[in-house]
Amino acid sequence: MRNIALVLKYIGTAYHGWQVQKRDVSVGQTLERAAQMVVGHRVHMTGCGRTDAGVHARCYVANFRTDARIPTDRLPYALNTHLPDDIAVMRAMDVPDSFNAIGSCVRKEYTYQIYNSPLRDPFYVNRAWLYPKRLDETVMRRAAQQFVGEHDFAAVRSVGTDVKSTVRHVYYYDVEREGDMIYLRVCANGFLYNMARAMAGTLVWAAEGKIDPDAIGELLARGDRTAAGPTVPPGGLYMTKLWYEDGEVSFHVG
């Protein structure tokens, strides 16, 4: 039985996240159906993360098992024939049996896009969060550095998925402005439910003067979700980079 990893991209607007749902259409469900048509049997896709409804992925990794002999260099073409235009498989590879798209992932990067303009741009609808009040990216950058390192991130997560620990390690959190677009890039060894979106909301509150940008460390130490910023809309969030280490296989996408 082969273990095949797929690298894909998707626009998440039309989907209820990655995870297969009973009633709502998801990215994982759509990909499983396409794979079934290609390999001739039902498959289970393991995704690298449970992205929320409306969240996008510039890169995403999933793996599945099959005894079909189709070459991996032909798989992207075959799968894309059966996928809608907002999902595309970019690469396929045979990986060791131990490889698991979520368990073997050692780092993830998410990027949140804020369109900081008083006027909306139709090309950014559901692709970036329109925020009309001018934001000071230097203040946001100061606040972002408070998240770097190992902390308990309970103060910036929503109650939902049960986890053994709310401690995570953030490797970097970069804030960049290009014209009216602000990019918030955060890399960690894992993310809690809505953590990336709550962190972004906290940076916006810091720029508005609602939170002291140098006091976010204390906010995290208290673990009080009500003291942090809001969970910002999903349409501005993208999974942008992934790092893998699993015995024989080591790679980085994004």
Side-chain angles (χ1 to χ4, degrees):
M1 186 72 71
R2 299 165 69 193
N3 189 13
I4 296 176
L6 304 174
V7 179
L8 58 144
K9 299 181 178 184
Y10 61 82
I11 296 296
T13 307
Y15 302 96
H16 200 75
W18 164 266
Q19 198 76 4
V20 174
Q21 308 286 327
K22 291 182 179 180
R23 299 180 180 178
D24 299 299
V25 179
S26 69
V27 178
Q29 176 189 55
T30 304
L31 187 60
E32 285 183 354
R33 287 177 178 174
Q36 180 176 338
M37 297 180 74
V38 171
V39 301
H41 62 83
R42 294 185 65 180
V43 302
H44 170 70
M45 289 283 174
T46 299
C48 63
R50 296 182 63 175
T51 56
D52 298 333
V55 173
H56 318 294
R58 295 191 186 279
C59 72
Y60 191 93
V61 172
N63 73 289
F64 72 101
R65 288 174 167 75
T66 181
D67 53 10
R69 297 184 178 182
I70 183 170
T72 51
D73 63 342
R74 299 300 304 167
L75 264 176
Y77 301 98
L79 288 167
N80 289 338
T81 300
H82 300 286
L83 286 169
D85 292 342
D86 50 9
I87 303 173
V89 175
M90 311 305 294
R91 180 183 169 194
M93 60 192 119
D94 284 289
V95 289
D97 188 64
S98 61
F99 180 86
N100 179 283
I102 190 167
S104 303
C105 187
V106 295
R107 295 189 185 189
K108 299 176 183 177
E109 180 195 82
Y110 279 98
T111 300
Y112 196 83
Q113 298 184 174
I114 301 174
Y115 186 55
N116 193 203
S117 168
L119 299 174
R120 74 174 183 274
D121 184 326
F123 287 96
Y124 294 137
V125 174
N126 294 322
R127 303 289 191 277
W129 182 30
L130 174 65
Y131 198 85
K133 184 179 178 181
R134 183 74 179 183
L135 294 171
D136 186 341
E137 67 273 15
T138 60
V139 173
M140 298 174 76
R141 197 172 292 124
R142 276 173 56 200
Q145 294 313 300
Q146 297 281 305
F147 286 121
V148 176
E150 186 173 272
H151 306 283
D152 186 330
F153 286 95
V156 284
R157 70 135 179 181
S158 298
V159 176
T161 307
D162 291 332
V163 292
K164 293 180 180 178
S165 172
T166 52
V167 174
R168 297 291 186 271
H169 190 107
V170 170
Y171 298 101
Y172 59 80
Y173 201 151
D174 298 331
V175 178
E176 298 177 5
R177 177 186 283 275
E178 294 180 10
D180 289 330
M181 190 69 78
I182 298 175
Y183 298 93
L184 311 179
R185 297 186 178 93
V186 56
C187 174
N189 61 354
F191 288 84
L192 303 166
Y193 183 46
N194 282 341
M195 175 175 157
R197 289 162 59 194
M199 293 168 86
T202 302
L203 298 192
V204 170
W205 269 24
E208 288 188 339
K210 296 179 180 179
I211 294 176
D212 181 348
D214 298 317
I216 289 177
E218 298 173 14
L219 184 153
L220 293 176
R222 293 200 308 271
D224 182 1
R225 179 67 189 93
T226 62
T231 300
V232 294
L237 186 62
Y238 298 74
M239 183 175 282
T240 45
K241 290 183 182 179
L242 297 163
W243 289 260
Y244 280 89
E245 294 286 347
D246 181 27
E248 303 170 45
V249 62
S250 175
F251 64 93
H252 162 237
V253 294

